[in-house]
């Protein structure tokens, strides 16, 4: 038996090594109707595991711990789930509100913030235990709680978010979680519906559903307050019926330009970041939902609301023109670029597939089965501000 111990130890070591997994090469794909999440190896286009019983995932989003081991899934039913991507298991799930719309992870990775519709506000949890750390009701001063949207992490251990019903933007400083400090910006424009930060974390930009233009907060100079940009772009009588609200996440940034979806119009807006003025409106196939930039800034990929949601269009940033139209399948809901942009993955809800494209040749690389996929999240998001 003594002679067998070294052999047994070698066998155990070999098996332990064989099961090692690189967290930087993983993705989480949300299966909307299945209340489940799939874990993929992104280089191999291979499903590794399926995590079930995650609640209502009709508007789910995901953030990652800084070591990329854990994924935090925000459900529409107020659920917050912590998944271990190495052990393929659900670590913990709580239901922290009645209706939620996403969340964010803090700069140091220790806090998870969730934006809630019902009751309106932000709740902050320990990323380790999911225990409540802070509760921030979105009270606009009239005793009523506003829906919270556009919650993102920003530098300085802060979160920024918008109050849809109160026309406000709040900046939440959590350097001391026991004593949250809130800076409130009022009268930003009617019904801020979504927001994003610039990739460097300097600007917080909120889209306005009830007003023309956008609300801009310079986080280097918050004392200057909110600046309205593109205030005269779309008059109310020029808008088409809005079939799906555009998302601001993943705006394409290339040099001095930002590309953004236009609300109620078949256009993508090109904005000069130096002057915050409109450079060009690019006509596209339908009402854009996501306008997402390839990491090198050379392309922007655009998907659309119904009835044009079977198409993708690619914009060449070099000359701000349409490069190509693709028809990948039914109900294109979401896109995600690989960290360096050589691939883009596309969720096809009604085809029950995720398709991967080569962004250089625009050719298909793989089709992967997934039941009603509506969100794709690569673990590399762990190291990006605002995602």
């Amino acid at each position: 038996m003594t002679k067998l111990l070294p052999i047994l130890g070698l066998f155990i070591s070999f098996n332990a090594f064989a099961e090692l997994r690189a967290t930087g090469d993983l993705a989480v794909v949300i299966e909307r109707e299945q209340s489940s999440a799939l874990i993929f190896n992104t280089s191999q286009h291979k499903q590794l595991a399926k995590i079930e019983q995650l609640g209502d995932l009709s508007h789910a989003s995901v953030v990652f711990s800084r070591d990329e081991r854990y994924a935090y899934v925000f459900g529409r039913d107020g659920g917050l789930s912590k998944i271990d991507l190495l052990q393929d298991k659900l670590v913990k799930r709580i239901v922290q509100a009645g209706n939620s719309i996403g969340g964010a992870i803090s700069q140091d990775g220790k806090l998870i913030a969730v934006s809630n519709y019902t009751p309106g506000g932000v709740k902050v949890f320990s990323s380790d235990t999911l225990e409540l750390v802070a509760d921030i009701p979105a009270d606009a001063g009239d005793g009523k709680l506003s829906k919270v949207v556009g919650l993102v992490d920003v530098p300085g251990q802060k979160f920024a978010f918008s109050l849809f019903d109160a026309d406000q933007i709040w900046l939440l400083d959590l350097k001391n979680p026991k004593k949250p400090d809130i800076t409130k910006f009022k009268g930003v424009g009617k019904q801020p519906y979504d927001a994003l930060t610039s990739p460097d974390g300097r600007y917080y930009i909120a889209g306005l559903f009830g007003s023309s233009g956008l609300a801009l907060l310079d986080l280097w100079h918050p004392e200057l307050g909110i600046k309205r940009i593109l205030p005269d772009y779309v008059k109310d009588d020029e808008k088409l019926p809005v079939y799906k609200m555009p998302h601001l996440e993943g705006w394409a940034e290339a040099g001095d330009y930002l590309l953004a979806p236009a609300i109620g119009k078949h256009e993508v807006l090109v904005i000069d970041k130096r002057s915050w003025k409109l450079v060009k409106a690019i006509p596209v196939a339908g009402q854009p939902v996501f306008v997402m930039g390839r990491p090198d800034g050379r392309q922007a990929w655009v998907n659309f609301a119904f009835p044009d949601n079977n198409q993708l269009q690619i914009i060449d940033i070099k000359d701000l023109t349409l490069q190509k139209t693709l028809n990948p399948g039914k109900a294109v809901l979401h896109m995600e670029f690989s960290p360096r942009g050589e691939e883009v993955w596309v969720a096809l809800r009604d085809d029950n597939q995720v398709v991967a494209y080569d962004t250089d040749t625009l050719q298909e690389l793989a089709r992967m089965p997934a039941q009603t996929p509506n969100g794709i999240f690569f673990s590399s998001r762990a190291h990006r501000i605002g995602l």
Side-chain angles (χ1 to χ4, degrees):
M1 180 65 182
T2 303
K3 295 180 179 180
L4 290 176
L5 286 177
I7 299 174
L8 181 60
L10 181 62
F11 177 78
I12 294 172
S13 297
F14 175 79
N15 277 278
F17 178 78
E19 294 181 5
L20 289 177
R21 180 183 298 172
T23 57
D25 201 21
L26 300 180
V28 172
V29 174
I30 298 297
E31 292 188 310
R32 174 183 178 134
E33 304 300 333
Q34 304 294 310
S35 298
S36 58
L38 306 179
I39 302 173
F40 275 87
N41 178 301
T42 62
S43 292
Q44 299 176 4
H45 303 136
K46 177 183 177 183
Q47 181 185 326
L48 303 176
K50 181 172 182 172
I51 310 299
E52 299 180 299
Q53 298 182 340
L54 300 179
D56 183 352
L57 301 181
S58 58
H59 197 288
S61 60
V62 180
V63 298
F64 296 89
S65 59
R66 63 192 302 169
D67 61 4
E68 301 176 333
R69 176 170 181 174
Y70 299 103
Y72 300 87
V73 181
F74 305 98
R76 192 58 188 262
D77 56 0
L80 170 59
S81 303
K82 181 178 181 178
I83 296 172
D84 189 327
L85 299 176
L86 294 184
Q87 297 186 347
D88 299 335
K89 71 176 185 179
L90 178 62
V91 177
K92 187 174 183 180
R93 181 174 187 268
I94 62 172
V95 178
Q96 53 81 43
N99 190 343
S100 299
I101 198 68
I105 188 166
S106 63
Q107 187 176 39
D108 65 1
K110 295 180 180 179
L111 302 174
I112 302 291
V114 189
S115 56
N116 293 321
Y117 276 7
T118 309
V122 171
K123 289 185 178 179
V124 183
F125 300 87
S126 162
S127 62
D128 183 24
T129 64
L130 298 192
E131 293 179 353
L132 184 66
V133 173
D135 188 353
I136 313 295
D139 187 348
D142 57 2
K144 298 179 180 179
L145 298 181
S146 170
K147 301 181 186 71
V148 170
V149 296
L151 171 67
V152 295
D153 63 284
V154 296
Q157 196 67 356
K158 298 175 183 178
F159 295 98
F161 53 91
S162 298
L163 278 60
F164 179 83
D165 303 302
D167 306 336
Q168 297 184 22
I169 292 173
W170 289 9
L171 190 59
L172 173 62
D173 188 329
L174 286 172
K175 293 185 185 71
N176 182 354
K178 294 182 179 180
K179 294 182 179 180
D181 183 63
I182 305 172
T183 304
K184 302 179 181 180
F185 302 89
K186 301 180 180 181
V188 304
K190 292 182 180 179
Q191 298 174 319
Y193 71 90
D194 196 10
L196 83 160
T197 55
S198 56
D200 61 4
R202 176 171 180 176
Y203 298 105
Y204 178 84
I205 304 171
L208 302 173
F209 186 69
S211 301
S212 295
L214 304 163
L216 171 73
L217 175 62
D218 185 343
L219 296 170
W220 289 11
H221 297 285
E223 72 280 0
L224 298 178
I226 302 298
K227 179 179 181 179
R228 287 285 293 279
I229 60 177
L230 308 186
D232 301 317
Y233 171 60
V234 179
K235 303 299 183 183
D236 291 340
D237 58 357
E238 295 175 335
K239 290 183 180 180
L240 298 169
V242 178
Y243 296 107
K244 181 173 175 59
M245 293 296 290
H247 286 261
L248 301 194
E249 174 214 326
W251 276 16
E253 181 173 18
D256 294 321
Y257 295 144
L258 281 174
L259 277 73
I263 299 177
K265 300 199 77 174
H266 295 185
E267 293 176 346
V268 169
L269 309 181
V270 182
I271 303 166
D272 188 325
K273 289 192 304 178
R274 297 165 299 182
S275 63
W276 297 108
K277 295 185 182 300
L278 184 66
V279 174
K280 184 178 182 179
I282 302 173
V284 290
Q287 292 184 20
V289 178
F290 285 102
V291 178
M292 301 190 73
R294 201 170 74 178
D296 66 352
R298 179 57 192 273
Q299 293 175 339
W301 287 57
V302 188
N303 74 326
F304 304 99
F306 179 84
D308 303 299
N309 58 347
N310 63 331
Q311 300 181 70
L312 282 170
Q313 289 192 312
I314 299 95
I315 296 172
D316 187 340
I317 303 298
K318 178 170 60 69
D319 51 13
L320 298 176
T321 59
L322 286 178
Q323 179 180 354
K324 190 166 184 177
T325 299
L326 300 175
N327 295 92
K330 299 177 182 176
V332 176
L333 288 196
H334 196 232
M335 300 165 286
E336 182 82 336
F337 286 95
S338 57
R340 298 196 182 192
E342 76 282 358
E343 291 186 20
V344 64
W345 287 27
V346 180
L348 306 176
R349 184 194 63 198
D350 294 351
D351 279 341
N352 297 313
Q353 290 180 327
V354 172
V355 58
Y357 284 97
D358 182 311
T359 59
D360 184 32
T361 66
L362 305 183
Q363 298 300 307
E364 283 189 24
L365 298 173
R367 285 190 177 247
M368 297 156 275
Q371 295 299 308
T372 58
N374 69 326
I376 305 169
F377 305 89
F378 279 34
S379 59
S380 56
R381 284 174 171 245
H383 311 295
R384 296 173 61 189
I385 297 170
L387 293 179

